[in-house]
């Protein structure tokens, strides 16, 4: 299987979706299959679905956003992690995260990192198919696209939370990275 390219340093944002349960495996794949350095930022709700310790072990780095860190340097966390990254990938991205980001609010470290990022920012929505089709969610996704944020289309699948079926599932990681590579090429062509 031919693997798509992957940026060298990936800041992986994780929000409070049941799909976050897959994050440790995705972090390990980013490191082992794609050779990326990975740092993870969790929203407070994400900790209900994935253990920060598991992500620290899989990433080999401190997981951010979990609790307040002692002030040991003048660096500002959201600015520091955003400037470190070659790609800020929010996987999974809930409807709530899409709404907050589209409105430009930053109530947590991940939201602030998105606002501070100079690198490409890509979100991967993951939610019930009925939620994904709501006009307000589509408007938020359209606003993110208009603001230069990549929005990976969800795929048809079975919802982890309720067993329903429809468009709203997270694509496999290789497909997400293929989408990111194609989107990046399009952005470069437009700016050239």
């Amino acid at each position: 299987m031919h693997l798509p390219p992957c940026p060298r340093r990936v800041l992986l944002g994780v929000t409070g979706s049941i799909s976050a349960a897959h994050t440790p495996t995705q972090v390990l794949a980013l490191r082992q299959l794609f050779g990326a350095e990975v740092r993870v930022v969790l929203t407070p709700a994400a900790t209900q679905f994935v253990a920060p310790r598991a992500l620290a072990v899989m990433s080999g780095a401190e997981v951010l956003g979990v609790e307040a860190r002692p002030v040991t340097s003048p660096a500002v966390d959201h600015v520091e992690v955003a400037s470190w990254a070659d790609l800020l990938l929010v996987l999974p991205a809930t409807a709530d995260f899409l709404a907050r980001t589209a409105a430009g609010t930053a109530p947590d470290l991940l939201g602030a990192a998105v606002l501070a990022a100079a690198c490409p920012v890509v979100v991967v929505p993951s939610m019930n198919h009925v939620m994904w089709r709501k006009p307000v969610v589509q408007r938020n996704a359209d606003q993110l696209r208009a603001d230069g944020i990549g929005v990976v289309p969800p795929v048809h699948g079975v919802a982890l939370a309720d067993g329903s079926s429809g468009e709203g599932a997270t694509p496999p990681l290789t497909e997400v990275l293929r989408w990111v590579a194609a989107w990046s090429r399009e952005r470069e062509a437009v700016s050239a």
Side-chain angles (χ1 to χ4, degrees), residues 46-191:
T47 62
Q48 300 298 311
F49 298 99
V50 63
R53 179 78 178 136
L55 295 173
V57 170
M58 294 299 188
S59 68
E62 176 185 13
V63 174
L64 303 170
V66 179
E67 53 191 51
R69 296 178 351 163
V71 177
T72 56
S73 77
V76 180
D77 283 346
H78 64 282
V79 174
E80 187 271 325
V81 296
S83 65
W84 171 86
D86 296 322
L87 170 68
L88 197 166
L89 178 64
V90 183
L91 171 66
T94 61
D96 179 65
F97 181 81
L98 297 179
R100 288 186 287 118
T101 305
T105 63
D108 52 37
L109 181 61
L110 179 56
V114 168
L115 292 177
C119 67
V121 176
V122 174
V123 298
V124 185
S126 181
M127 63 196 73
N128 177 281
H129 65 283
V130 175
M131 292 174 70
W132 173 245
R133 287 195 305 253
K134 290 291 184 194
V136 68
V137 174
Q138 292 302 306
R139 280 194 304 275
N140 290 333
D142 289 342
Q143 182 62 55
L144 294 177
R145 289 182 192 103
D147 292 342
I149 294 175
V151 180
V152 178
V155 297
H156 190 277
V158 175
L160 295 175
D162 66 6
S164 63
S165 181
E167 185 182 56
T170 305
L173 183 59
T174 53
E175 293 307 311
V176 169
L177 292 175
R178 278 191 183 91
W179 188 95
V180 169
W183 176 75
S184 296
R185 284 190 300 273
E186 288 175 16
R187 283 173 42 113
E188 289 170 9
V190 167
S191 65

Side-chain angles (χ1 to χ4, degrees), residues 2-16:
H2 176 68
L3 294 176
C6 179
R8 190 169 69 83
R9 293 184 304 220
V10 177
L11 180 59
L12 183 64
V14 183
T15 68

